[in-house]
Structure formats: C-alpha cells, structure tokens
Amino acid sequence: SNHPDICETYQRLADCYESMGKIAKALEYYSKCLNIRLVTLPDSHPDLALTYNNLGSLYDNNKNYEQAFDYYQKSLTISRKTLPPTHPEIQRTEMNIEKLKQLIYFD
C-alpha cells in the first residue's frame, strides 16, 4: 500500500534500525518510504526532502560520501523551493554538503 501512514511507519522503523546499527535494514525501510513518497507527493514536497536528508545522513554516517552527497543535494533543492532562505534546515544541509565536499576531495 502507498498510504502516507505506512510511510511514516517505515520512516520510524528505519530510524530505529539505524540507531541499532542495522544499516541494511534502515536502508530498506528508508527506501520503501522514499518509493511511496515519490509516487504520492509532488516533487517539491518537504516530506520528500526529509526522506532524502535521512538517506543522506545514513550514507554519510557510514562513509559512503558520494551517495550521501547526492541525497543531501536532492534534499537541498527541494528545501530551497519550499522554505525561507534562512531556515535552519537549509543551513544544516548546506553545512553537510560542504563537509562532504571536503571529505570527498581529501579521500
């Protein structure tokens, strides 16, 4: 089912698995949530940005910096369309991207 409530459950399960260090399971549930949101939400919906950000964070924390960069970039693109320019979420994502640029460059 593609109901938004199921997506929220997937998101919470992914958060739990990530906090337990079960990265593959976290990725599975974040991906399920993303797939639902891609089908049910407009391209610039903030919840889609949140899911991209969560995937970016998961990859970032596991040193898969190129993949993290891609997801952070998608999140930032949406956030810039939907949030004021000084919103903390935009600033946080920009900082994450800048950090990754340094890690990728020096890796």
Side-chain angles (χ1 to χ4, degrees), residues 65-66 97-107:
Y65 301 127
E66 289 86 2
I97 288 171
E98 288 306 311
K99 178 191 75 165
L100 288 178
K101 283 180 181 178
Q102 294 296 317
L103 289 169
I104 292 167
Y105 179 74
F106 291 110
D107 196 17

Side-chain angles (χ1 to χ4, degrees), residues 29-93:
Y29 283 101
Y30 281 137
S31 296
K32 286 181 179 189
C33 181
L34 176 62
N35 290 333
I36 291 172
R37 287 185 168 162
L38 286 170
V39 170
T40 61
L41 298 175
D43 291 345
S44 61
H45 196 283
D47 286 349
L48 192 53
L50 173 65
T51 303
Y52 283 137
N53 189 70
N54 288 342
L55 280 159
S57 178
L58 178 71
Y59 282 113
D60 187 357
N61 292 335
N62 289 281
K63 298 181 173 40
N64 188 335
Y65 301 127
E66 289 86 2
Q67 195 77 25
F69 182 86
D70 291 343
Y71 281 114
Y72 283 146
Q73 197 66 46
K74 289 177 181 184
S75 177
L76 183 61
T77 299
I78 294 170
S79 295
R80 283 183 172 157
K81 291 178 187 175
T82 58
L83 299 172
T86 58
H87 193 280
E89 190 60 39
I90 290 176
Q91 294 171 345
R92 184 172 26 254
T93 304

